[in-house]
Amino acid sequence: MEKFLIKGSSSKGVKGLINCSGAKNAVLPLMASSILFENTVVLKNVPLGANDVQTMIILLKSLGSKVQIFKKKKILKITNKKKHKLLVKYKYISTMRAGVLAMGALIGKYNKCSTALSGGCSLGPRPIGYHLAGFKRLNCKYSLSKGYINIFSKNGIKGGHYHFPKVSVTGTSNLILASVLANGITTLKNISIEPEVLDLIKFLKNGGAKIYSAGKRTIKIYGVKKLNGHQHEVIGDRIEAFSYLCTAAITKGSIKIEKINPKYLATELKVLKNIGCNIKVGKSSIELNRKNKLKPTNIKTAPFPGFATDCMPMLMAILTKSDGKSKIEETIFSNRYMAAPELVRMGAKINIKGSIAVIIGEDELNGADCISSDLRSTFAIILGAMAANGTSCVSRVYHGLRGYSNLYNNLKKIGVNIKKKS
Ligand code: EPZ
């Protein structure tokens, strides 16, 4: 169990350049979608250092896909040599929610599959009721036994209509994967328009899928006979980019992120500007430095293009050093403030009441022993540790290694005083 020892400084700012990795939440659905293709799929700019990607590789191999990894070039080649197995084991879903995406691809290709129900996680329950309700509209039936959902469509997947009660990112991706080879036309309403979902749609269309916008948060999918493998470059990881920008915001440093489209972070960059950060954007880069005191702010998370729930824990961390009272309302998950008690151990003033967090900025934080409990909280705690006086020991950093490639090396590279401790 790896720990990070971080010697913070309330005065020394980070400085440097970070090459943004490919987006974890884009590459996972892209990898799952490879099941649908006749021949080889080539994915470039793959964040191979993110452990969830390794888990998805093992999952695909367990189903029978041939996966070739070209580490240096960050390329994955996935070939479907034979009919896939139709069982997605619990061990691939228990640590990685995105394993549920294999369900949509297997149903889309084979009209049936058995997938383990993903457990809850520290963010709160992670239900898949919308996914299942959508599959039913595509002429599927399902039953639950021993923690596995068995889904089948007797006469094959048929196009249908489904209106999501709430925007669901993997729900949208799953139903798209289930319907691209269906008989007939599928209409999906109130879909997620996260950049990662749009990247999946682009990839599928370039492989021959017929997916068209049909109004606000609405798409129509005309089923086709087959999809042809091709090359695709994974988009930059907007959550990773925001995370590293926050290292400069909380330590009065100066960071440049390259290989990221600033349009994916328009709302979040506006908030960083409002609280006193200087931001400069290029075509595929973002620079942040901070000279003045951080100002407080009020935000509410929302599906894209609103403020991303995944960026919220890092914003909460930097607001602990602002000059006043801030308020955050988390509208997506029921338990997304897991970093708060750890930052409070460093002397932060954060009061959580239901979905609301009130943060009273402090001049100084002090190093403490902390425990991470989920992917984004890990980075939020690290931010606090970087800005605190003295040393912090952050345990269970494996949560962070699920989604951040080269986390340790990147932090070292920008000047964080960090050591690994087993
Ligand atoms: C995706 O999770 C991301 N994960 C999450 O990123 C991200 O926080 C989340 O979208 C919201 O943006 C991946 O893409 C792999 P949802 P997902 O379905 O798809 C409720 C990270 O840190 N809901 O959009 O699982 C659900 O409980 C991770 O990288 C249902 O009620 O989230 C939540 O309240 C964390 N029933 C809301 O909808 C359903 O069937 C949004 O969930 C599905 C969802």
Side-chain angles (χ1 to χ4, degrees), residues 138 159-162 164 172 175-177 179-182 184-191 201 204-205 208-224:
L138 302 179
H161 287 241
Y162 183 63
F164 283 90
T172 301
L175 286 179
I176 291 173
L177 295 179
S179 44
V180 284
L181 300 176
I185 303 167
T186 298
T187 304
L188 300 177
K189 286 183 178 294
N190 197 26
I191 63 165
I201 291 173
L204 292 168
K205 287 182 79 167
K210 292 193 173 359
I211 306 172
Y212 305 102
S213 169
K216 191 170 177 305
R217 288 189 185 271
T218 303
I219 50 174
K220 269 191 186 308
I221 301 161
Y222 296 75
V224 294

Side-chain angles (χ1 to χ4, degrees), residues 369-416:
D369 290 349
C370 302
I371 298 183
S372 162
S373 52
D374 67 68
L375 168 52
R376 306 303 171 185
S377 291
T378 308
F379 209 102
I381 295 165
I382 288 170
L383 287 168
M386 289 167 68
N389 297 314
T391 301
S392 300
C393 176
V394 186
S395 309
R396 298 188 190 169
V397 291
Y398 60 81
H399 288 292
L401 305 180
R402 280 186 45 213
Y404 290 101
S405 295
N406 315 315
L407 177 59
Y408 177 78
N409 294 334
N410 276 341
L411 291 170
K412 229 170 163 47
K413 180 179 155 188
I414 59 176
V416 178

Side-chain angles (χ1 to χ4, degrees), residues 105-122:
L106 289 170
I107 296 168
K109 181 88 183 264
Y110 301 103
N111 300 324
K112 69 182 276 193
C113 78
S114 283
T115 309
L117 254 184
S118 63
C121 72
S122 53

Side-chain angles (χ1 to χ4, degrees), residues 18 148 345 386 392:
I18 295 278
Y148 281 78
R345 298 166 58 73
M386 289 167 68
S392 300

Side-chain angles (χ1 to χ4, degrees), residues 196-412:
E196 296 76 21
V197 173
L198 302 185
D199 198 38
L200 174 68
I201 291 173
K202 179 181 166 197
F203 173 64
L204 292 168
K205 287 182 79 167
N206 288 343
K210 292 193 173 359
I211 306 172
Y212 305 102
S213 169
K216 191 170 177 305
R217 288 189 185 271
T218 303
I219 50 174
K220 269 191 186 308
I221 301 161
Y222 296 75
V224 294
K225 288 277 169 267
K226 67 184 181 102
L227 297 179
N228 294 309
H230 58 96
Q231 296 203 13
H232 180 84
E233 171 131 358
V234 182
I235 59 170
D237 191 320
R238 60 193 166 105
I239 316 296
E240 181 188 64
F242 182 81
S243 303
Y244 285 107
L245 290 172
C246 287
T247 64
I250 199 168
T251 64
K252 268 192 153 180
S254 167
I255 287 283
K256 182 173 186 180
I257 315 276
E258 292 200 332
K259 296 185 76 181
I260 182 67
N261 180 342
K263 291 198 184 80
Y264 298 158
L265 283 161
T267 303
E268 292 81 6
L269 294 180
K270 226 180 271 160
V271 170
L272 290 175
K273 269 188 200 144
N274 291 345
I275 64 173
C277 299
N278 305 310
I279 306 248
K280 208 168 110 206
V281 299
K283 195 161 157 300
S284 56
S285 67
I286 306 171
E287 283 180 83
L288 183 147
N289 66 61
R290 174 170 72 90
K291 304 248 182 306
N292 319 313
K293 194 102 178 81
L294 280 172
K295 290 178 245 160
T297 188
N298 298 334
I299 65 122
K300 185 173 174 177
T301 62
F304 192 86
F307 193 96
T309 174
D310 291 349
C311 292
M312 182 278 286
M314 288 72 84
L315 179 72
M316 175 173 68
I318 59 179
L319 289 173
T320 65
K321 297 281 290 181
S322 70
D323 193 12
K325 179 172 166 181
S326 302
K327 191 176 110 177
I328 294 176
E329 184 178 352
E330 165 60 37
T331 67
I332 310 284
F333 290 112
S334 59
N335 192 21
R336 187 117 227 196
Y337 293 119
M338 299 300 281
E342 304 308 309
L343 293 164
V344 166
R345 298 166 58 73
M346 295 180 194
K349 284 206 173 33
I350 306 174
N351 190 350
I352 308 289
K353 213 166 171 185
S355 63
I356 307 281
V358 174
I359 303 114
I360 312 280
E362 282 294 308
D363 285 339
E364 302 287 328
L365 296 177
N366 297 299
D369 290 349
C370 302
I371 298 183
S372 162
S373 52
D374 67 68
L375 168 52
R376 306 303 171 185
S377 291
T378 308
F379 209 102
I381 295 165
I382 288 170
L383 287 168
M386 289 167 68
N389 297 314
T391 301
S392 300
C393 176
V394 186
S395 309
R396 298 188 190 169
V397 291
Y398 60 81
H399 288 292
L401 305 180
R402 280 186 45 213
Y404 290 101
S405 295
N406 315 315
L407 177 59
Y408 177 78
N409 294 334
N410 276 341
L411 291 170
K412 229 170 163 47

Side-chain angles (χ1 to χ4, degrees), residues 24-26 28-29 52 97-98 101 123 125-132 166-171 194 238-239 303 309-310 331-334 336 374-376 402:
K24 163 186 84 88
N25 291 347
L28 295 175
D52 274 5
R97 159 93 175 164
L101 290 159
L123 303 181
R126 303 296 291 273
I128 58 166
Y130 302 163
H131 304 230
L132 297 174
K166 224 164 108 177
V167 169
S168 167
V169 175
T170 47
E194 262 66 4
R238 60 193 166 105
I239 316 296
T309 174
D310 291 349
T331 67
I332 310 284
F333 290 112
S334 59
R336 187 117 227 196
D374 67 68
L375 168 52
R376 306 303 171 185
R402 280 186 45 213

